[in-house]
Amino acid sequence: CKASSKDVAALQVKHLSRFPSAPLFAFTAFHCALAAAGFSLLLYPRNATHTALGLAATITIAAVPAVVLFRVHSGVPERAVFVHDAEKASPCQRHIYGPGEWVAPTAGSLFRFEYASMLLTWTAENAWFSSVVFFTSGVLALGVALRPETWQACGNVKVMQAAALLVYAVLIMWRYPHNRMRDNFMLSLAAALALVACALMAA
């Protein structure tokens, strides 16, 4: 029998909500803001409490991506395998839905669900690309946290952010890391637009 689209959607939500997938998704969403706050407290503390909080936040935003990268690297392909779908033959289908899906090599493996938010969006060759996202987010956050006192210093900060966005966009267009090709084009375009904005502010 065939499952309905509602059943499939409910199953996907259930899988994405598994620990630690849901907390990692939230961490990714707020990573830049957390990093900016941590850098600000660490670089411009008003008291010892601010320094401690800034140090804790900075360690967290660096340690969590490192642990995730290690877990994903150690779990692929032993606990999760990317399988190409022969039914997605047309270029349009591959562009919208991707060429395949991550599957569990054994029936009892829940790795792909536990790390769904960090794994399902990437292709097999680029399962590590979330580290690039976190690094770019960290550089942008550092630029937000810095408080330059001159126009030249402010321009230098924007150049730093623009350089990070340029590397991010080039890597996306070179590696095509996302499973869905549409995501590669949309995110590289967004990075390019943000790059232009930083370049204009730096001029």
Side-chain angles (χ1 to χ4, degrees):
C1 61
K2 294 184 178 180
S4 67
S5 59
K6 290 183 178 180
D7 293 334
V8 172
L11 188 62
Q12 289 176 341
V13 170
K14 180 180 179 181
H15 290 162
L16 287 172
S17 65
R18 283 186 177 274
F19 184 83
S21 179
L24 286 175
F25 177 80
F27 177 81
T28 304
F30 294 101
H31 180 266
C32 191
L34 176 63
F39 289 145
S40 181
L41 289 172
L42 189 62
L43 295 173
Y44 309 102
R46 294 183 179 180
N47 50 52
T49 302
H50 285 186
T51 302
L53 289 174
L55 184 61
T58 303
I59 292 174
T60 300
I61 63 174
V64 172
V67 172
V68 169
L69 180 62
F70 172 77
R71 290 287 296 161
V72 170
H73 180 73
S74 62
V76 176
E78 288 78 11
R79 300 176 65 187
V81 179
F82 188 85
V83 176
H84 288 266
D85 190 348
E87 294 183 358
K88 298 176 181 176
S90 71
C92 182
Q93 287 178 317
R94 291 195 298 270
H95 179 81
I96 297 176
Y97 302 109
E101 300 289 344
W102 287 93
V103 300
T106 58
S109 177
L110 298 176
F111 182 83
R112 67 179 287 265
F113 304 135
E114 294 170 351
Y115 288 87
S117 59
M118 296 290 103
L119 184 64
L120 299 188
T121 185
W122 312 112
T123 60
E125 300 81 8
N126 298 283
W128 51 269
F129 205 85
S130 59
S131 60
V132 176
V133 177
F134 285 125
F135 178 78
T136 305
S137 174
V139 174
L140 296 178
L142 178 60
V144 172
L146 291 173
R147 302 173 187 176
E149 297 181 353
T150 65
W151 287 109
Q152 181 62 46
C154 183
N156 292 339
V157 170
K158 295 306 174 185
V159 168
M160 177 188 71
Q161 292 177 311
L165 289 167
L166 176 62
V167 172
Y168 176 68
V170 169
L171 283 175
I172 289 180
M173 295 308 297
W174 174 40
R175 298 286 306 184
Y176 293 119
H178 290 275
N179 183 20
R180 297 176 176 86
M181 189 59 67
R182 62 178 183 180
D183 294 341
N184 292 311
F185 287 114
M186 291 174 62
L187 291 174
S188 60
L189 177 60
L193 292 175
L195 188 159
V196 171
C198 287
L200 291 174
M201 287 187 284

